[in-house]
Amino acid sequence: LSRFSSNDLLFYLAVILAAAPVWWFKFFGSLDGPAHLHNANLLQLVVTGTNPVIDTFYKVNPVPVPNWLSHIILSLLCFIFPGFLAEKMLLLLYVIGLPVIFRKLLIRFSPENHLFSYLIIPFTYTFMFYLGLYNFCLSLILFFAAIFYWFTMVDNINTKNIFLMLLFVTF
């Protein structure tokens, strides 16, 4: 706890308060959220092979196509949690992850301007978020993480760092 300043604690408290609407109700209303859960459940059934009827109609596409990140995360979370909680975990990953990685990036470039990191918090609940475009929302986290990682490792470019950077921009 001594590593954190009072400003850091205040920022994380603001992020937790901003995440409260996700936990407030049992279901979070978004346009495509139920479709993401349905696809995640289908993916889970296809991968586990527990439903022969589903197996006759669906196969996992071996070609890496876009917009799989939220489905993969939701499928993994559905192994542990019921669907509505799995979706909440995914939404919390975004609502907490975006301000945190943005703050890290901002402090990396301009530590004296750390108060500007609070400005990202209202932008987490965007129109795209309510439309249920979870892959787009998660891509914002990966975008800021890729920029942060690039400037962290630019002086030490090696095969491992290039591979990790490739993972950031691929997903």
mmCIF file of all heavy atoms in Angstrom, residues 149-163 165:
data_model
loop_
_atom_site.group_PDB
_atom_site.id
_atom_site.type_symbol
_atom_site.label_atom_id
_atom_site.label_comp_id
_atom_site.label_asym_id
_atom_site.label_seq_id
_atom_site.Cartn_x
_atom_site.Cartn_y
_atom_site.Cartn_z
ATOM 1 N N TYR A 149 3.631 -0.433 -24.374
ATOM 2 C CA TYR A 149 4.652 -1.475 -24.469
ATOM 3 C C TYR A 149 5.729 -1.102 -25.486
ATOM 4 O O TYR A 149 6.909 -1.339 -25.267
ATOM 5 C CB TYR A 149 4.016 -2.818 -24.825
ATOM 6 C CG TYR A 149 5.000 -3.951 -24.805
ATOM 7 C CD1 TYR A 149 5.520 -4.414 -23.610
ATOM 8 C CD2 TYR A 149 5.436 -4.547 -25.983
ATOM 9 C CE1 TYR A 149 6.431 -5.444 -23.577
ATOM 10 C CE2 TYR A 149 6.355 -5.569 -25.965
ATOM 11 C CZ TYR A 149 6.843 -6.018 -24.758
ATOM 12 O OH TYR A 149 7.768 -7.025 -24.730
ATOM 13 N N TRP A 150 5.324 -0.516 -26.601
ATOM 14 C CA TRP A 150 6.295 -0.131 -27.635
ATOM 15 C C TRP A 150 7.315 0.851 -27.075
ATOM 16 O O TRP A 150 8.516 0.686 -27.261
ATOM 17 C CB TRP A 150 5.584 0.472 -28.840
ATOM 18 C CG TRP A 150 6.558 1.021 -29.831
ATOM 19 C CD1 TRP A 150 6.897 2.328 -30.037
ATOM 20 C CD2 TRP A 150 7.354 0.267 -30.741
ATOM 21 N NE1 TRP A 150 7.838 2.436 -31.017
ATOM 22 C CE2 TRP A 150 8.148 1.176 -31.471
ATOM 23 C CE3 TRP A 150 7.473 -1.086 -31.012
ATOM 24 C CZ2 TRP A 150 9.046 0.786 -32.442
ATOM 25 C CZ3 TRP A 150 8.370 -1.480 -31.990
ATOM 26 C CH2 TRP A 150 9.148 -0.562 -32.692
ATOM 27 N N PHE A 151 6.851 1.871 -26.391
ATOM 28 C CA PHE A 151 7.780 2.859 -25.862
ATOM 29 C C PHE A 151 8.555 2.345 -24.656
ATOM 30 O O PHE A 151 9.585 2.908 -24.304
ATOM 31 C CB PHE A 151 7.051 4.168 -25.535
ATOM 32 C CG PHE A 151 6.746 4.955 -26.761
ATOM 33 C CD1 PHE A 151 5.465 4.977 -27.276
ATOM 34 C CD2 PHE A 151 7.747 5.632 -27.433
ATOM 35 C CE1 PHE A 151 5.183 5.694 -28.427
ATOM 36 C CE2 PHE A 151 7.475 6.344 -28.584
ATOM 37 C CZ PHE A 151 6.195 6.376 -29.081
ATOM 38 N N THR A 152 8.097 1.271 -24.038
ATOM 39 C CA THR A 152 8.837 0.652 -22.949
ATOM 40 C C THR A 152 9.971 -0.204 -23.491
ATOM 41 O O THR A 152 11.065 -0.249 -22.929
ATOM 42 C CB THR A 152 7.893 -0.204 -22.087
ATOM 43 O OG1 THR A 152 6.844 0.631 -21.613
ATOM 44 C CG2 THR A 152 8.613 -0.806 -20.907
ATOM 45 N N MET A 153 9.731 -0.872 -24.610
ATOM 46 C CA MET A 153 10.716 -1.824 -25.117
ATOM 47 C C MET A 153 11.474 -1.338 -26.353
ATOM 48 O O MET A 153 12.299 -2.052 -26.880
ATOM 49 C CB MET A 153 10.041 -3.167 -25.407
ATOM 50 C CG MET A 153 9.080 -3.191 -26.556
ATOM 51 S SD MET A 153 9.886 -3.857 -27.996
ATOM 52 C CE MET A 153 8.625 -3.667 -29.204
ATOM 53 N N VAL A 154 11.259 -0.123 -26.805
ATOM 54 C CA VAL A 154 11.863 0.335 -28.051
ATOM 55 C C VAL A 154 13.395 0.344 -27.990
ATOM 56 O O VAL A 154 14.054 0.149 -29.018
ATOM 57 C CB VAL A 154 11.295 1.716 -28.465
ATOM 58 C CG1 VAL A 154 11.827 2.831 -27.583
ATOM 59 C CG2 VAL A 154 11.552 1.996 -29.929
ATOM 60 N N ASP A 155 13.950 0.520 -26.823
ATOM 61 C CA ASP A 155 15.412 0.500 -26.699
ATOM 62 C C ASP A 155 15.973 -0.908 -26.584
ATOM 63 O O ASP A 155 17.190 -1.099 -26.643
ATOM 64 C CB ASP A 155 15.842 1.313 -25.475
ATOM 65 C CG ASP A 155 15.514 2.784 -25.642
ATOM 66 O OD1 ASP A 155 15.525 3.261 -26.793
ATOM 67 O OD2 ASP A 155 15.237 3.441 -24.626
ATOM 68 N N ASN A 156 15.109 -1.902 -26.404
ATOM 69 C CA ASN A 156 15.549 -3.283 -26.220
ATOM 70 C C ASN A 156 14.740 -4.206 -27.133
ATOM 71 O O ASN A 156 13.997 -5.061 -26.661
ATOM 72 C CB ASN A 156 15.389 -3.679 -24.745
ATOM 73 C CG ASN A 156 15.927 -5.058 -24.473
ATOM 74 O OD1 ASN A 156 16.771 -5.556 -25.200
ATOM 75 N ND2 ASN A 156 15.427 -5.681 -23.431
ATOM 76 N N ILE A 157 14.880 -4.023 -28.429
ATOM 77 C CA ILE A 157 14.110 -4.831 -29.375
ATOM 78 C C ILE A 157 14.799 -6.183 -29.555
ATOM 79 O O ILE A 157 15.970 -6.256 -29.921
ATOM 80 C CB ILE A 157 13.957 -4.107 -30.732
ATOM 81 C CG1 ILE A 157 13.137 -2.837 -30.532
ATOM 82 C CG2 ILE A 157 13.319 -5.019 -31.758
ATOM 83 C CD1 ILE A 157 12.947 -2.020 -31.773
ATOM 84 N N ASN A 158 14.048 -7.233 -29.259
ATOM 85 C CA ASN A 158 14.521 -8.599 -29.470
ATOM 86 C C ASN A 158 13.343 -9.439 -29.932
ATOM 87 O O ASN A 158 12.223 -8.942 -30.078
ATOM 88 C CB ASN A 158 15.188 -9.170 -28.201
ATOM 89 C CG ASN A 158 14.263 -9.145 -27.003
ATOM 90 O OD1 ASN A 158 13.057 -9.263 -27.141
ATOM 91 N ND2 ASN A 158 14.838 -8.988 -25.826
ATOM 92 N N THR A 159 13.565 -10.702 -30.155
ATOM 93 C CA THR A 159 12.523 -11.579 -30.695
ATOM 94 C C THR A 159 11.327 -11.668 -29.756
ATOM 95 O O THR A 159 10.182 -11.624 -30.204
ATOM 96 C CB THR A 159 13.098 -12.990 -30.948
ATOM 97 O OG1 THR A 159 14.264 -12.858 -31.750
ATOM 98 C CG2 THR A 159 12.095 -13.863 -31.649
ATOM 99 N N LYS A 160 11.574 -11.781 -28.472
ATOM 100 C CA LYS A 160 10.475 -11.878 -27.495
ATOM 101 C C LYS A 160 9.612 -10.618 -27.521
ATOM 102 O O LYS A 160 8.379 -10.693 -27.548
ATOM 103 C CB LYS A 160 11.040 -12.099 -26.098
ATOM 104 C CG LYS A 160 9.991 -12.126 -25.014
ATOM 105 C CD LYS A 160 10.645 -12.132 -23.636
ATOM 106 C CE LYS A 160 9.689 -11.507 -22.668
ATOM 107 N NZ LYS A 160 10.291 -10.809 -21.597
ATOM 108 N N ASN A 161 10.247 -9.451 -27.522
ATOM 109 C CA ASN A 161 9.500 -8.195 -27.531
ATOM 110 C C ASN A 161 8.719 -8.006 -28.825
ATOM 111 O O ASN A 161 7.607 -7.491 -28.812
ATOM 112 C CB ASN A 161 10.434 -7.016 -27.297
ATOM 113 C CG ASN A 161 10.941 -6.956 -25.876
ATOM 114 O OD1 ASN A 161 10.326 -7.511 -24.972
ATOM 115 N ND2 ASN A 161 12.064 -6.309 -25.671
ATOM 116 N N ILE A 162 9.296 -8.404 -29.925
ATOM 117 C CA ILE A 162 8.584 -8.311 -31.203
ATOM 118 C C ILE A 162 7.372 -9.238 -31.199
ATOM 119 O O ILE A 162 6.293 -8.867 -31.654
ATOM 120 C CB ILE A 162 9.530 -8.626 -32.377
ATOM 121 C CG1 ILE A 162 10.548 -7.498 -32.530
ATOM 122 C CG2 ILE A 162 8.754 -8.821 -33.678
ATOM 123 C CD1 ILE A 162 11.646 -7.773 -33.526
ATOM 124 N N PHE A 163 7.529 -10.443 -30.661
ATOM 125 C CA PHE A 163 6.414 -11.386 -30.573
ATOM 126 C C PHE A 163 5.293 -10.833 -29.695
ATOM 127 O O PHE A 163 4.118 -10.902 -30.053
ATOM 128 C CB PHE A 163 6.900 -12.738 -30.042
ATOM 129 C CG PHE A 163 5.809 -13.744 -29.905
ATOM 130 C CD1 PHE A 163 5.261 -14.357 -31.021
ATOM 131 C CD2 PHE A 163 5.316 -14.079 -28.652
ATOM 132 C CE1 PHE A 163 4.240 -15.279 -30.907
ATOM 133 C CE2 PHE A 163 4.296 -15.003 -28.516
ATOM 134 C CZ PHE A 163 3.755 -15.609 -29.649
ATOM 135 N N MET A 165 4.669 -7.688 -29.025
ATOM 136 C CA MET A 165 4.055 -6.563 -29.729
ATOM 137 C C MET A 165 3.111 -7.062 -30.818
ATOM 138 O O MET A 165 2.044 -6.505 -31.032
ATOM 139 C CB MET A 165 5.155 -5.674 -30.330
ATOM 140 C CG MET A 165 4.662 -4.391 -30.883
ATOM 141 S SD MET A 165 3.990 -3.379 -29.567
ATOM 142 C CE MET A 165 3.241 -2.113 -30.519
#
